[in-house]
Amino acid sequence: MKQDIFGSSSMGYVVIESRHLERWQALLQNGIGLHLQHADGPLLAFRMDHHQRRIIVKHGPAEDFAAVGWQLEDQDTLNIVLQRLKNRGIAVHESSAGEAAERGVVRFWRVIGPKRMAIELFIEPLTTDEPLSMLSEGFITGEAGMGHLAITSRRGKDMRRFWQEIFDARQSDSIVEQLAGVTVDIDFFRVNPRHHSIAIAQVRGLALDPIRTKAQHMNLLTTSVCGLTDAFMRCRQLGFEMAHEIGEHPNDREQSFYVLTPSGFELELGWNALEVDEASWQIATYKGISLWGHKPQKLGTWNKLKTNLSNFGQGLRSLRRAEYSPLQELP
């Protein structure tokens, strides 16, 4: 009998590698409004709830995601996931005590997922009752997890299979967007009541990926519209570029903005995103990523040209290398 683990997993933490720790601290503590839990030389750690660590920024050259922590409900769920990985010949490595402490969990099991993103499975987070000291009023976490990731892929089919076959992800809906003369198909997948924990974008008809990093953006949800607008103003005042100013998405009705992080990928802060009612939900396709807003910050002509050339060059470079998938490719 099939064992469905839908509703038993969520995004638990992210690990980012960057040389720009001071700017990351400014963005996350003074802009987004998180609680700075740990700042010691080459490592920063931030809280947003009772988990000791939700975002970890380590000193290093990658300017990219080093890992995403995926929380599982209990040992039975972990066993099911580990067996599914074993059945597909996907290697799993258990953490050392030091690695687990750095992540703020009792222990974790690491697997290399699509695009070589390290996915770290854990059951027990280290928690604290220490009061939060945050500029933000609060963030939505709990059963839904801490947020979502949006990932661009040249192998969208295999990317979708991974999340569906390993975590029983369900498709919520799709968006078709026109960007710079190409069509981008974006599929949204949920693993719990949050509308989506993973979004997968692929350029239609072209096997290229214009995004350098393992994920195009990560998302956090604040608990109030004031939490959204105040953070927007703080980020602007701190000099962070807005990739997209405040707007609203048509599928989950989330109002949000996207700020460019010191590592080059985007961080989306949103509020008021709907949760899925499993009894009545119908998959739909929407045209356009935004109902209103989400306009890019006004840049000079030279900066716009540099951005377009950089994206075009990255897309061309992606044609010369294979995109990793842990699953055997199906015909």
Side-chain angles (χ1 to χ4, degrees), residues 43 53 58 95-108:
L43 189 139
R53 296 184 175 187
K58 301 175 59 174
S95 66
S96 67
E99 288 175 320
E102 182 180 89
R103 268 59 165 174
V105 299
V106 174
R107 56 179 175 164
F108 66 81

Side-chain angles (χ1 to χ4, degrees), residues 3-212:
Q3 296 170 298
D4 191 337
I5 65 165
F6 179 83
S8 299
S9 74
S10 63
M11 182 175 160
Y13 61 79
V14 295
V15 184
I16 296 159
E17 186 178 297
S18 175
R19 291 191 177 98
H20 307 293
L21 267 62
E22 288 188 6
R23 286 300 282 167
W24 267 107
Q25 182 173 342
L27 174 62
L28 295 177
Q29 182 181 16
N30 302 321
I32 302 301
L34 298 174
H35 174 106
L36 178 63
Q37 178 70 12
H38 178 90
D40 181 15
L43 189 139
L44 304 171
F46 298 86
R47 286 177 58 203
M48 53 198 298
D49 58 5
H50 66 288
H51 285 218
Q52 286 187 9
R53 296 184 175 187
R54 286 292 196 177
I55 300 179
I56 302 110
V57 186
K58 301 175 59 174
H59 187 270
E63 303 301 344
D64 201 352
F65 293 90
V68 54
W70 211 256
Q71 185 169 3
L72 303 176
E73 185 176 59
D74 52 31
Q75 186 65 46
D76 288 342
T77 305
L78 174 63
N79 291 342
I80 292 169
V81 170
L82 292 177
Q83 187 61 50
R84 290 176 178 179
L85 294 167
K86 180 180 178 181
N87 291 345
R88 290 161 177 80
I90 300 173
V92 179
H93 301 281
E94 188 171 351
S95 66
S96 67
E99 288 175 320
E102 182 180 89
R103 268 59 165 174
V105 299
V106 174
R107 56 179 175 164
F108 66 81
W109 290 259
R110 181 189 291 112
V111 59
I112 303 303
K115 290 189 74 172
R116 298 197 177 278
M117 174 77 84
I119 298 171
E120 298 176 348
L121 310 169
F122 73 98
I123 303 170
E124 298 177 81
L126 299 176
T127 60
T128 177
D129 293 328
E130 176 190 349
L132 289 163
S133 176
M134 301 193 301
L135 294 178
S136 174
E137 296 179 11
F139 297 90
I140 294 174
T141 55
E143 177 188 2
M146 65 170 282
H148 73 242
L149 289 178
I151 306 172
T152 56
S153 177
R154 296 171 59 197
R155 298 179 61 177
K157 179 180 178 181
D158 289 327
M159 179 84 71
R160 293 188 291 271
R161 282 181 56 219
F162 179 83
W163 292 100
Q164 290 173 312
E165 293 181 15
I166 304 302
F167 297 102
D168 290 318
R170 301 177 182 177
Q171 185 169 358
S172 295
D173 44 46
S174 299
I175 290 178
V176 179
E177 178 68 290
Q178 302 295 323
L179 292 172
V182 299
T183 301
V184 179
D185 295 299
I186 312 169
D187 296 323
F188 298 82
F189 292 89
R190 65 188 186 277
V191 295
N192 56 49
R194 186 184 287 269
H195 176 273
H196 61 282
S197 293
I198 297 291
I200 301 168
Q202 184 170 11
V203 177
R204 185 184 295 179
L206 293 173
L208 60 80
D209 182 356
I211 303 300
R212 173 187 61 82

Side-chain angles (χ1 to χ4, degrees), residues 182 245 286:
V182 299
E245 298 186 343
Y286 299 87

Side-chain angles (χ1 to χ4, degrees), residues 253-307:
R253 304 308 297 263
E254 177 180 347
Q255 294 177 22
S256 66
F257 67 84
Y258 296 74
V259 60
L260 195 64
T261 71
S263 293
F265 58 83
E266 297 169 16
L267 189 158
E268 179 189 20
L269 183 67
W271 89 285
N272 204 36
L274 60 80
E275 292 190 349
V276 169
D277 179 352
E278 295 296 330
S280 60
W281 189 259
Q282 298 291 324
I283 297 175
T285 299
Y286 299 87
K287 291 185 178 180
I289 197 71
S290 303
L291 285 174
W292 58 268
H294 285 146
K295 301 298 183 184
Q297 183 173 323
K298 292 181 179 179
L299 300 174
T301 302
W302 173 239
N303 285 333
K304 287 183 180 179
L305 178 60
K306 285 197 298 183
T307 298

